[in-house]
Amino acid sequence: MTKLPNPVDYAIPAFVVLIVVEMIVARRQDRARYEPRDTLTSLLFGLGSTVAGLLTAGAILAIATWLHDQRLFDIPYGWWLWPAVFVLDDFNYYIFHRTAHRVRWFWASHVNHHSSQHYNLSTALRQTWTGFIAGSFIFRLWPLLFGVPLPVLLFVGGLNLIYQFWIHTEAIDRCPRWFEAVMNTPSHHRVHHAVNPCYLDSNYAGVFIVWDRMFGTFVPEAVEDRCRYGIVRQLGHFSLLRGVFHEWIGIARDVWAAPWKAKLRYVLGPPGWSHDGSRETSAMIRRRWQERQARHAGKSHSEHDR
Amino acid sequence: MTGITLGGSLVAVLALAWLARALELGGDARIAGEAQAREIALNHHFESRAIAIDRAGISALARDDDGGFLLIRRHGAHFTGERLAPPLKARLDQRFLTINGTVLDLGDDAPVWAAQLRAVA
């Protein structure tokens, strides 16, 4: 098998330098963009994720090799293969990411990336430790069945991850219009990390924002609605281990306590779903917000008529 | 990734966390008034009808139309909200109301809010 370097290893020094630059900018513009304890937690999430990746790499490689052995076609290496697989892998990322927000099983792993109330380059490194347990890798490996070479798939996956680093910042406002139209940008991704009701469940793209535009999940950032970050029920602590496992523990508790017919939905239903309606999913929060907006609009219309 | 890379990454993590502290990032978040407290509550999808703000501005207590309560407290450079549900650990000591470990200096309003909280406890 052709061995290609992992591009992420080479990008790490650049990640560190860019975080330092962003911190200096934050000191001059808005010190609240960073919080030392939050930064430490985010970076330890990243380091732990790397270790978890090392521990599970063998198993994933074995699964990937087996899938490639079952391939239906033999795809030869060629210059066109790289961009084609890059685009396909980014589409797979979109599907994975959308599922990770809509199905609690995958959310339990992905929530780690969203649990900071800050949005800066250190947040980009706040990666999951439990992706292997969730089985998230399956979303990105299926092209192997069609003969896509594994080294190519791993390499473009690394490039995809590197691209997503720089968009985790408030230091960049908007990019040129043509770029915002096609590519995922800091503005688009701020919306994705926001918990404002109007922004929930949107902008799942990795590199190309066109997937969101195509599948109706795109929401532009509005000047009048400043992004507020985190998760619907904020963690309220900086504990690393509680942060890593809190949603898994929540699933276990809910499944244990739920009536039999509701147990599976606590695993495969949307985050926030409850059998007794005591909690809210993001769709319910958005609906309640829309009703409130309509109520306020009605009230201001009637005052205007008077 | 080798052991050296992993060790280097750990050193980089600790150095960056130290730098964030050395640059005095984070700020001193305070609730400036009722409007801001309401906005924080709304950020937690909680529509507040009444609000009491701690005198130092580092926490607040909000109540909605349905008798639900939200405890707002400082969390780093931001605020976090916790919907209060039984079992509730609340204690009144003159003008200080302690809820789930968070102390609020509510002045003369403290007994009023403590009485309302009994419904939750």
Side-chain angles (χ1 to χ4, degrees), chain A residues 14 22 37 41 51 84 89 93 98 136 144 172 212 214 236 259 270 280-281:
Chain A
E22 195 192 34
R37 284 167 294 174
T41 306
V51 174
D89 182 62
Y93 178 83
R98 190 168 168 168
S136 313
L144 296 169
I172 297 171
D212 285 287
M214 279 168 66
E280 287 184 308
T281 64

Side-chain angles (χ1 to χ4, degrees), chain A residues 12 42-43 48 65 76 103 105 108 141 163 192 236 240 243 253-254 298:
Chain A
I12 288 173
S42 292
L43 296 174
T65 306
V103 177
W105 175 261
L141 291 186
Y163 180 88
H192 174 69
L240 181 65
R253 279 188 183 146
D254 287 340

Side-chain angles (χ1 to χ4, degrees), chain A residues 41-157:
Chain A
T41 306
S42 292
L43 296 174
L44 288 175
F45 260 107
L47 188 61
S49 171
T50 309
V51 174
L54 286 175
L55 294 175
T56 56
I60 291 177
L61 196 63
I63 295 167
T65 306
W66 181 84
L67 283 173
H68 195 249
D69 287 346
Q70 316 303 315
R71 65 188 176 276
L72 301 170
F73 311 101
D74 274 311
I75 300 180
Y77 279 85
W79 69 264
W80 55 270
L81 183 66
W82 301 88
V85 176
F86 186 84
V87 173
L88 175 66
D89 182 62
D90 192 53
F91 171 72
N92 288 339
Y93 178 83
Y94 171 83
I95 298 293
F96 149 71
H97 198 189
R98 190 168 168 168
T99 311
H101 279 262
R102 306 279 176 105
V103 177
R104 196 180 178 195
W105 175 261
F106 294 107
W107 174 244
S109 162
H110 184 61
V111 65
N112 298 165
H113 181 61
H114 286 269
S115 58
S116 171
Q117 286 183 249
H118 294 79
Y119 188 77
N120 53 48
L121 292 175
S122 77
T123 315
L125 303 181
R126 201 177 176 101
Q127 295 290 329
T128 182
W129 295 13
T130 57
F132 179 76
I133 296 168
S136 313
F137 56 89
I138 287 298
F139 289 88
R140 312 281 287 276
L141 291 186
W142 67 263
L144 296 169
L145 276 174
F146 291 86
V148 170
L150 178 60
V152 177
L153 200 61
L154 294 177
F155 190 82
V156 299

Side-chain angles (χ1 to χ4, degrees), chain B residues 4 11 14 16-17 21 25 37 45-46 55 59 62-63 67 71 79 88 101 104 113:
Chain B
I4 294 172
V11 170
L14 296 174
L16 286 172
R21 198 170 288 278
L25 301 178
H45 314 293
F46 187 92
R55 288 189 171 188
S59 53
R63 192 185 74 239
L71 174 65
F79 289 90
L88 192 66
L104 298 99
W113 283 85

